[in-house]
Amino acid sequence: MKCPQCNNELSEVPLCYGIEAPYYFYTVSEEKRTELIRDFCVIDEQYFFIRGHIEIPIIDSLEKFIWSVWVSLSEENFLKSNELLHVQGRENNQPYFGWLSTELSIYPITTLSLKTMVHTQEVGAVPLIELEQTDHPLAVEKREGITMERVKEIAHLINHSQ
């Protein structure tokens, strides 16, 4: 398949992109002040982050496009999510409020600090991230879905910005 923007060959079009740590992790000068373990991050023992997925429907497809992102939580909600990590039925708990803490630079407006709700899933699954209903392009795509052409455009933008 060819990239629709630059005609370079794409062996496949990924349906999931993510980043290793929250945006703010990279702004801390001393690594000692951070703790990053899989899907959880703590900075300065006062900023708490959890990783989850924003699932975007692909129009005319059963598949979803996924952004693997980080969300900041209050200390109370962060500790609660950790306590429930291996508890069956945890998906029945109320969602947690958080702030999106991943910069998705393909969007013309920053994605940092968008309001979210973090929905815990069954044991072994990462949380699903719900965005506040705004006119931000990411929120619109989440709400309305994207075409496969948009998925290819995202692949192009990510592959050529690195």
Side-chain angles (χ1 to χ4, degrees):
M1 172 174 20
K2 289 191 181 272
C3 173
Q5 306 294 317
C6 66
N7 281 332
N8 286 343
E9 285 293 324
L10 299 171
S11 57
E12 63 180 61
V13 179
L15 297 179
C16 181
Y17 292 97
I19 192 159
E20 295 293 317
Y23 174 84
Y24 307 101
F25 178 86
Y26 300 105
T27 65
V28 177
S29 58
E30 297 175 41
E31 287 186 35
K32 289 187 234 173
R33 294 176 23 205
T34 64
E35 185 177 354
L36 177 63
I37 302 172
R38 281 187 46 113
D39 300 333
F40 302 96
C41 181
V42 178
I43 299 174
D44 287 337
E45 298 180 6
Q46 61 181 338
Y47 303 103
F48 305 90
F49 305 89
I50 190 169
R51 187 178 65 85
H53 289 166
I54 298 173
E55 293 186 348
I56 299 175
I58 300 174
I59 298 167
D60 296 328
S61 173
L62 297 177
E63 299 201 68
K64 294 183 188 281
F65 179 83
I66 298 171
W67 287 114
S68 185
V69 297
W70 291 87
V71 173
S72 67
L73 295 178
S74 68
E75 181 177 11
E76 177 184 347
N77 286 337
F78 180 82
L79 293 174
K80 186 175 181 182
S81 71
N82 275 282
E83 288 171 13
L84 298 174
L85 192 58
H86 301 290
V87 175
Q88 296 296 327
R90 68 185 191 160
E91 65 274 12
N92 298 317
N93 285 309
Q94 291 295 312
Y96 308 119
F97 174 79
W99 299 97
L100 191 61
S101 300
T102 299
E103 179 65 89
L104 300 174
S105 60
I106 69 152
Y107 292 98
I109 305 165
T110 185
T111 55
L112 290 174
S113 298
L114 291 176
K115 292 179 181 179
T116 68
M117 294 301 287
V118 178
H119 295 266
T120 303
Q121 301 300 294
E122 62 278 351
V123 172
V126 298
L128 292 179
I129 309 302
E130 174 188 359
L131 297 169
E132 179 183 39
Q133 301 292 311
T134 67
D135 61 353
H136 188 284
L138 176 58
V140 172
E141 287 183 344
K142 168 72 174 129
R143 191 168 52 249
E144 298 179 3
I146 58 176
T147 63
M148 189 52 82
E149 286 305 308
R150 174 65 173 148
V151 173
K152 293 175 191 175
E153 178 186 359
I154 291 169
H156 168 80
L157 292 168
I158 290 174
N159 289 329
H160 296 297
S161 67
Q162 300 173 346

